[in-house]
Amino acid sequence: MVGRAPTRGVPRGDGTPGQSPYQRLSQWMLDISGDRGVLKDVVREGAGELVTPDASVLDITLWGMELGLLSMRRGEVARFLFKPTYAYGKLGCPPLIPPNTTVLFEIELLDFLDSAESDKFCALSAVQQDQFPLEKVLKVAATEREFGNYLFRQNRFYDAKVRYKRALLLLRRRSAPPEEQHLVEAAKLLVLLNLTFAYLKLERPSAALRYGEQALIIDPKNAKALFRCGQACLLMTEYQKARDFLVQAQKEQPFNHDINNELKKLASYYKDYRDKEKEMCHRMFAPCDTGFTVGEN
């Protein structure tokens, strides 16, 4: 499961005499931990299913926050009170959060991905997977791709690449009737574009080019594929091929700033390359100074 949950934490001590602001707030909040260690107030209702308990939660550092997320639905906004045991404990988090502090978080659950279903499906043999309808395969492949996109946004490019390749494998080994093949090809195209980008980030341009060219077999005029193939060729100093791909990309999207800037970069790199080549040729064919004068014995 991937929970994208912007949070705001506002720590306040709960050891003041009398009733603290948190004690007053907690009186009408829902106990979701069973010991009033995690209290919840829904600000905006969400929709769909709850976050599944067997999903793996990424980038969650507080026990209370994990429990809170597991009580939420897509689009939900909620406030949570976390007692120290479910938050930062006896040590706190200096200098912002003192020891033994109850904290208030407001969380918006924009979306989540349940990768447990996808993992179970990918663990099946090809024969077992073939027993499921195409719709199921496309759903699992889309989940793998979306999970890869999440990892990519975290700059975890290698892990993203692994998820993309899992999605591609599912799509490649599944046959579809002619009237549904376009659905498989469309899903493949998206994954191939993601793989091309991931390999560029991993500084493996030859692999990026290979997947980019596979994308172009599906859609020969795809501007993203042409652009990323051009980027890969530029990294490999194959300037003519880079120019061919980038000019085609520009033809499809004449006002795309990224494409136009890449063409400018190519022109600059090629000029530097030609200048160095001329200098090298000049040195190779320049008269050699032997250190002797004519007539010297």
Side-chain angles (χ1 to χ4, degrees):
M1 185 279 286
V2 180
R4 299 201 300 270
T7 61
R8 293 195 297 272
V10 185
R12 296 175 185 169
D14 57 358
T16 56
Q19 197 176 49
S20 71
Y22 279 176
Q23 288 173 327
R24 291 194 295 272
L25 184 63
S26 68
Q27 291 175 356
W28 45 271
M29 298 181 79
L30 176 67
D31 178 12
I32 65 170
S33 61
D35 60 0
R36 299 197 64 78
V38 180
L39 303 176
K40 176 181 179 181
D41 172 40
V42 177
V43 178
R44 185 183 72 205
E45 295 285 348
E49 298 179 357
L50 292 171
V51 175
T52 52
D54 60 344
S56 58
V57 183
L58 300 182
D59 302 325
I60 301 300
T61 57
L62 301 182
W63 183 19
M65 190 179 294
E66 181 170 343
L67 289 177
L69 282 171
L70 293 174
S71 74
M72 298 181 73
R73 306 175 193 274
R74 285 183 178 87
E76 181 178 328
V77 178
R79 292 192 184 99
F80 294 93
L81 274 179
F82 301 143
K83 291 292 182 65
T85 304
Y86 291 89
Y88 297 98
K90 296 180 180 180
L91 299 178
C93 188
L96 296 177
I97 301 174
N100 290 313
T101 298
T102 296
V103 295
L104 171 67
F105 276 84
E106 182 174 293
I107 301 177
E108 179 182 11
L109 184 61
L110 302 177
D111 197 6
F112 69 89
L113 296 175
D114 182 5
S115 63
E117 179 185 7
S118 174
D119 291 339
K120 290 176 184 176
F121 185 84
C122 291
L124 299 175
S125 68
V127 174
Q128 291 172 318
Q129 290 177 5
D130 284 341
Q131 304 304 311
F132 289 86
L134 177 61
E135 181 182 3
K136 174 71 172 181
V137 177
L138 293 174
K139 180 184 177 183
V140 173
T143 299
E144 287 294 311
R145 176 176 170 269
E146 289 169 9
F147 201 88
N149 289 344
Y150 173 82
L151 295 168
F152 190 96
R153 288 192 293 271
Q154 305 300 312
N155 294 326
R156 296 169 58 182
F157 304 123
Y158 181 87
D159 294 331
K161 179 261 297 183
V162 171
R163 289 286 179 169
Y164 295 146
K165 293 189 83 168
R166 281 177 62 169
L168 186 61
L169 179 62
L170 288 173
L171 296 168
R172 278 180 168 168
R173 69 185 186 188
R174 180 55 186 261
S175 58
E179 64 273 14
E180 293 183 333
Q181 187 60 35
H182 70 281
L183 298 174
V184 177
E185 295 301 302
K188 278 184 190 176
L189 177 62
L190 293 175
V191 176
L192 288 167
L193 290 172
N194 289 140
L195 273 168
T196 304
F197 202 9
Y199 275 111
L200 284 172
K201 291 292 187 180
L202 290 168
E203 298 182 351
R204 294 179 57 185
S206 59
L209 179 61
R210 183 169 67 252
Y211 286 109
E213 289 178 328
Q214 290 175 31
L216 290 172
I217 293 173
I218 299 173
D219 182 3
K221 294 185 177 182
N222 188 281
K224 279 187 179 179
L226 291 165
F227 172 60
R228 290 172 185 169
C229 285
Q231 286 182 302
C233 290
L234 181 56
L235 289 171
M236 294 187 293
T237 66
E238 295 185 12
Y239 297 124
Q240 187 57 54
K241 285 184 67 175
R243 183 183 180 280
D244 291 343
F245 281 121
L246 292 172
V247 167
Q248 289 182 67
Q250 188 185 51
K251 182 179 179 181
E252 298 302 322
Q253 294 186 6
F255 304 107
N256 186 299
H257 293 295
D258 291 334
I259 295 173
N260 292 330
N261 287 338
E262 201 71 12
L263 277 166
K264 291 177 183 177
K265 184 193 296 186
L266 170 63
S268 175
Y269 283 11
Y270 187 69
K271 181 179 181 302
D272 290 343
Y273 167 77
R274 292 291 295 167
D275 289 344
K276 289 177 182 178
E277 191 177 57
K278 288 179 182 178
E279 182 180 353
M280 183 174 66
C281 290
H282 177 74
R283 289 179 177 177
M284 288 175 61
F285 297 105
C288 295
D289 185 2
T290 62
F292 297 99
T293 59
V294 176
E296 186 178 48
N297 292 325

